[in-house]
């Protein structure tokens, strides 16, 4: 045990190096650049130490004009880094230099394509985001297309079902069923958010994926309404309750996801671009569903069976895209699952993993039931309703005022309510982050 007590300070320092911040902003003052009277040669490779563009990595060719000097200034705009040069009379950007050097149609077309690509990218990609954002955006594109397409089929099925019900009853009764199912869905959304709101921060990825599965199941229930139109109110209400819970969890967790990408305090820009992406991707999914319906409009039997045939494939692609996208959400905060991943890595290899490595392992644990360890750990308080073990009584009797935490055994319930013993880490109200890491390490 003593072997594991010394490296806590080393763990804390390495956590900061790997990207787990303590919510402190680091600032530095930059010197004001001065334009020299005489041109001088500069090493552009030393201008920046982070994520240099490709044109910085190659060796600059000798310019025809001996007065052309590249300045150690990078201007970040619309997700692109541009370097400026001094030709003895004025400042020129890299874009100006490329325009002057374009002597053929081939170079002009490349420049046009590049400008068009940058213009489109500026509409959907925030100005300053980490490198993992593009991978996340790629899987979000797949998720929104398939989710939007299958929702179109579900809405069409519900309208067909309520139309069949209206033929057998009064239209006002059908409209009342629609209003009631929406009202019950909103009520369930309120109850779920009020009771389980704290779990959104504690286990964000598992909540996001589990509620996405619930959303997919609700879409499947909606597709069954034309088959059982007499049970429209029951099926539609169940589906709407599940949808409301899923949407509440999605909205609650999206802010934390956006904050993980806002590396330059540009949370507003990231959130605004996320809304733009959602609208555009949903419209593509809507167009996909409309094209499928047009292809099958001449065959009513195939058109009626199309939603049920599309549902398994579209749902599988939707959930797979969500699962892959969560791998690229690197949360810089520490919760119970991430602390256990870091401590396990430290015990086995004396290495503190990076945020990307922790995120990858955490995503793989989405399918693992809680309490799957032999002695699972619970961080919380002593539950007076549960039976106390002899070890717990001994530890409680030996506590001192200066203790920041204590570890003991307790009896509880694991997966499928199976009785088992587990470890309890109880923290003092003044316990610091180092105390939490030390307790989990022990």
């Amino acid at each position: 045990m003593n072997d594991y007590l010394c490296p806590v300070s080393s763990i804390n320092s390495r956590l900061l190096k790997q990207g787990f911040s303590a919510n402190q902003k680091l600032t530095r003052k930059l010197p004001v650049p001065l334009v020299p009277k005489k041109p001088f040669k500069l090493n552009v490779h030393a201008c920046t130490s982070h994520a240099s563009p490709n044109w910085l990595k190659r060796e600059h060719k000798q310019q025809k004009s001996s007065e052309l000097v590249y300045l150690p200034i990078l201007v970040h705009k619309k997700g692109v880094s541009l370097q400026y040069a001094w030709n003895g009379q004025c400042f020129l950007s890299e874009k100006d230099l490329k325009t002057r050097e374009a002597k053929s149609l081939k170079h002009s077309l490349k420049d046009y394509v590049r400008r068009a690509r940058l213009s489109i990218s500026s509409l959907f990609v925030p100005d300053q985001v980490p490198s993992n954002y593009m991978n996340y955006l790629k899987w979000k594109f797949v998720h929104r297309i398939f989710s939007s397409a299958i929702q179109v089929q579900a809405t069409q099925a519900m309208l067909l079902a309520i139309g069949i019900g209206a033929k057998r009853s009064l239209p006002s009764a059908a409209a009342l069923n629609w209003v009631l199912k929406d009202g019950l869905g909103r009520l369930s959304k309120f109850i779920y958010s009020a009771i389980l709101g704290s779990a959104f921060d504690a286990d964000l990825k598992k909540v996001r994926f589990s509620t996405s599965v619930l959303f997919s199941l609700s879409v499947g229930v909606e597709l069954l309404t034309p088959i059982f139109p007499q049970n429209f109110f029951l099926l539609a209400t169940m589906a709407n309750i599940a949808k409301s819970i899923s949407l509440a969890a999605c909205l609650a967790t999206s802010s934390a996801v956006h904050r993980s990408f806002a590396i330059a305090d540009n949370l507003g820009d990231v959130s605004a671009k996320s809304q733009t992406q959602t609208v555009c991707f949903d419209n593509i999914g809507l167009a996909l569903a409309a094209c499928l319906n047009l292809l099958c409009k001449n065959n009513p039997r195939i058109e009626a069976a199309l939603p049920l045939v599309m549902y398994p494939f579209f749902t599988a692609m939707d959930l797979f895209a969500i699962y892959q996208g969560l791998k690229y959400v690197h949360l810089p905060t520490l919760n119970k699952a991430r602390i256990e991943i870091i401590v396990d890595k430290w015990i086995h290899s004396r290495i503190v993993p990076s945020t990307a490595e922790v995120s990858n392992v955490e995503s793989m644990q989405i399918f693992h039931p809680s309490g799957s360890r032999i002695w699972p750990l619970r961080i919380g308080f002593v539950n007076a309703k549960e039976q106390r073990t002899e070890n717990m009584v001994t530890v409680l009797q030996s506590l001192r005022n200066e203790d920041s935490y204590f570890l003991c055994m307790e009896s509880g319930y694991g997966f499928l309510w199976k009785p088992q013993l587990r470890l309890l880490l109880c923290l003092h109200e003044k316990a610091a982050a180092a105390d939490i890491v030390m307790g989990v390490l022990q």
Side-chain angles (χ1 to χ4, degrees):
M1 182 63 69
N2 294 331
D3 186 29
Y4 297 145
L5 296 181
C6 19
V8 174
S9 60
S10 178
I11 287 182
N12 294 333
S13 62
R14 296 192 186 189
L15 287 178
L16 295 177
K17 292 181 180 179
Q18 295 292 350
F20 293 97
S21 62
N23 297 327
Q24 296 180 356
K25 298 180 180 179
L26 302 178
T27 58
R28 63 175 181 176
K29 296 182 178 180
L30 298 178
V32 179
L34 299 177
V35 180
K37 296 181 179 179
K38 295 183 179 181
F40 58 92
K41 297 296 181 180
L42 294 174
N43 183 11
V44 297
H45 297 276
C47 294
T48 180
S49 61
H50 62 280
S52 300
N54 294 330
W55 51 269
L56 271 180
K57 296 180 181 179
R58 68 175 184 267
E59 294 291 338
H60 287 280
K61 297 181 179 179
Q62 294 292 334
Q63 304 294 334
K64 293 183 179 180
S65 175
S66 60
E67 297 180 350
L68 188 62
V69 178
Y70 285 92
L71 302 178
I73 300 175
L74 290 179
V75 178
H76 298 276
K77 184 179 181 181
K78 302 297 182 183
V80 181
S81 300
L82 298 177
Q83 188 183 21
Y84 278 74
W86 174 260
N87 65 351
Q89 297 179 351
C90 61
F91 290 102
L92 297 175
S93 66
E94 186 196 14
K95 185 184 300 184
D96 299 330
L97 296 175
K98 287 190 175 183
T99 303
R100 294 187 177 187
E101 294 175 357
K103 299 180 179 180
S104 62
L105 180 62
K106 180 178 179 181
H107 290 84
S108 300
L109 289 176
K110 286 184 177 180
D111 188 63
Y112 178 78
V113 172
R114 176 177 172 271
R115 290 182 181 181
R117 180 176 59 83
L118 293 178
S119 300
I120 297 175
S121 177
S122 63
L123 296 176
F124 298 98
V125 182
D127 288 342
Q128 297 185 30
V129 288
S131 58
N132 55 305
Y133 183 80
M134 296 307 297
N135 292 323
Y136 168 79
L137 182 60
K138 174 183 65 177
W139 289 110
K140 180 182 178 181
F141 173 75
V142 179
H143 152 59
R144 295 306 308 183
I145 285 180
F146 286 101
S147 178
S148 176
I150 197 63
Q151 286 184 64
V152 171
Q153 299 295 330
T155 304
Q156 182 179 352
M158 292 184 66
L159 293 175
L160 177 62
I162 201 171
I164 296 175
K167 295 179 181 179
R168 302 177 182 178
S169 60
L170 294 176
S172 58
L176 180 62
N177 288 341
W178 192 279
V179 173
L180 286 177
K181 64 100 178 172
D182 285 346
L184 292 175
R186 294 178 181 178
L187 179 62
S188 63
K189 177 180 178 181
F190 165 76
I191 297 175
Y192 174 77
S193 301
I195 296 178
L196 300 177
S198 59
F200 296 157
D201 295 321
D203 214 346
L204 185 146
K205 292 188 177 182
K206 186 172 290 186
V207 170
R208 177 72 177 90
F209 187 80
S210 59
T211 51
S212 299
V213 174
L214 186 63
F215 184 88
S216 299
L217 294 176
S218 67
V219 173
V221 173
E222 290 179 346
L223 293 176
L224 296 177
T225 51
I227 303 176
F228 307 100
Q230 65 277 8
N231 298 323
F232 172 82
F233 177 71
L234 177 62
L235 295 177
T237 301
M238 292 172 55
N240 202 267
I241 289 176
K243 270 190 172 183
S244 300
I245 292 175
S246 177
L247 291 176
C250 181
L251 292 175
T253 56
S254 60
S255 58
V257 174
H258 296 161
R259 188 167 58 249
S260 68
F261 294 122
I263 59 176
D265 290 336
N266 54 340
L267 180 60
D269 186 22
V270 174
S271 301
K273 294 297 172 61
S274 177
Q275 297 295 325
T276 305
Q277 297 162 8
T278 301
V279 172
C280 181
F281 299 162
D282 285 353
N283 287 335
I284 296 176
L286 177 63
L288 175 62
C291 292
L292 292 175
N293 289 332
L294 289 176
L295 292 176
C296 303
K297 67 176 183 178
N298 296 328
N299 195 327
R301 182 174 298 180
I302 297 179
E303 186 178 7
L306 179 64
L308 297 178
V309 175
M310 290 169 47
Y311 174 73
F313 175 72
F314 278 37
T315 300
M317 291 298 299
D318 180 26
L319 295 178
F320 179 74
I322 294 175
Y323 174 74
Q324 292 293 331
L326 290 175
K327 288 184 178 181
Y328 297 100
V329 178
H330 305 332
L331 301 173
T333 56
L334 292 175
N335 63 354
K336 174 179 173 292
R338 289 188 279 275
I339 290 178
E340 287 184 341
I341 294 172
I342 294 172
V343 169
D344 285 343
K345 185 71 173 179
W346 172 263
I347 291 175
H348 289 91
S349 60
R350 289 296 190 273
I351 297 175
V352 176
S354 63
T355 54
E357 295 172 342
V358 172
S359 179
N360 190 31
V361 177
E362 185 184 13
S363 299
M364 294 172 61
Q365 293 180 351
I366 290 178
F367 301 104
H368 294 180
S370 58
S372 58
R373 295 168 175 258
I374 299 177
W375 281 358
L377 176 67
R378 184 178 74 89
I379 303 177
F381 57 90
V382 177
N383 193 351
K385 297 181 180 180
E386 294 184 358
Q387 183 180 1
R388 299 185 181 182
T389 61
E390 296 181 1
N391 174 263
M392 180 183 296
V393 176
T394 304
V395 172
L396 291 176
Q397 291 176 350
S398 62
L399 285 178
R400 298 172 298 176
N401 293 331
E402 58 268 19
D403 292 335
S404 300
Y405 65 92
F406 68 86
L407 273 170
C408 65
M409 300 293 298
E410 70 169 358
S411 59
Y413 297 94
F415 184 59
L416 297 178
W417 294 94
K418 181 181 179 181
Q420 66 174 358
L421 290 176
R422 61 188 179 190
L423 288 170
L424 170 64
L425 175 60
C426 191
L427 302 170
H428 193 273
E429 60 181 2
K430 297 181 180 180
D435 299 323
I436 302 175
V437 175
M438 174 69 83
V440 178
L441 185 62
Q442 289 184 346

